[in-house]
Amino acid sequence: MFDIKWIRANAEAFDAAMVRRGLGPKAAEALKLDDERREAIVSLNEMQERRNIASKLIGQAKAARDEQKAAELMEEVSALKTALPEAEERERAASAALTAMLETLPNLLHPTVPDGKDEHDNIEKSRWGEPRKFNFAPKEHFDIGEALGLMDFEAGARLAGARFVVLRGALARVERALGQFMLDLHTTEHGFTEHQVPLLVRPEVLYGTGQLPKFAEDAFRTVDDRWLIPTSEVPLTNLVREQILSVADLPIRVTALTPCFRAEAGSAGRDTRGMLRQHQFNKVEMVSVTEPDKSDAEQERMLACAEEVLKRLELPYRVVRLCAGDMGATMQRTFDIEVWLPGQDTYREISSVSMAGDWQARRMGTRYRDADGNINPVHTLNGSGVAVGRCLIAVMENHQEEDGGFRIPDVLKPYLGGLERIGPAQ
């Protein structure tokens, strides 16, 4: 959400930012709507002021026994009272039109975001680990899981339809262990505070982080007008909604392991096999709330936290800097971590670490008071730490063995009673 005063003072820069986002110039449209809103407010205020003045003059006219003047003033007040509801509605409509336009515009891009049209224009930032060389043809995760009898997509479809899966036995246990390992790492070593948060939220909470109104089709709505969370970024970030924080409270770093629910409205035909793109999946999310001048460093810190998960699981990955055309609408800058999947012979996204600047804070009404007493919006950041289902896929594929089983990374063994591997006999 943008400050219209900022747009008025920086119209040229605002238009340039929208063009980078693939939109046309938007400043003139926004300022025209703001002019209409201002005119409606001025007109309403003038009518209210005149009504108040006329009402006082009626008493004065009566005190002076000027009945004709009093009658004229009473007629004027009556006319103003009749006209005021229309003026109030005009002001509400003008304000709503401006808000409706501003709330759907994408965030300004960080100056370091590269130009580009789509994922093909993203720039590799770093790389860790060497993809393993197999002496057999590596399988994809669904072939491994189904052959083991521990991954059942047919059962998932019978229960809920496409893009659901049932995990059984040892594989369900590994999935659970992955989530617990990530939470323990982020809370004991990375300074995040664990939270359990609602999976159902009010619409204004989704509005605060930017999923509503523009991306309503990507979320699931309940009959009582609550929404299933697409990521725990939504409730975690909104923990500070409508608050004025002290600078001493910052940074705030919170994390949660939750199911996430996504309609995947725009992904028809993509990743239809396996667990890569599900309507329901588990994810560990990290959220930070910072002072504006600390957000760049905080994003790098969060990126390192997410990378550490993959390093300890012995999973090769690369980090890419998303270009303008591949950026999510709500974020200023995003780094994606892509894990190596030998079954697909490619890197696939497993985490996004993003900085929203003050865009979400303005929608949520979240500000902080600095050391000089000034009150300004905070900056918010979020990152997957990481997607548990995709991490399970990566563990299965990278640590698979020729007999169809897979090795358990050392860091997970304490969560699995020392289990070394999952094989066909289990």
Side-chain angles (χ1 to χ4, degrees), residues 125-140:
K125 183 177 186 289
S126 62
R127 188 178 289 225
W128 184 89
E130 201 61 42
R132 174 182 163 196
K133 290 181 172 59
F134 291 83
N135 57 11
F136 59 92
K139 298 177 181 178
E140 294 199 51

Side-chain angles (χ1 to χ4, degrees), residues 107 110 295-296 299 331-333 353-357 379-381:
N107 202 343
H110 193 278
S295 57
D296 278 10
Q299 187 180 21
M331 296 298 145
Q332 290 187 337
R333 182 175 64 189
V353 180
S354 301
M355 174 171 58
H379 277 199
T380 59
L381 305 96

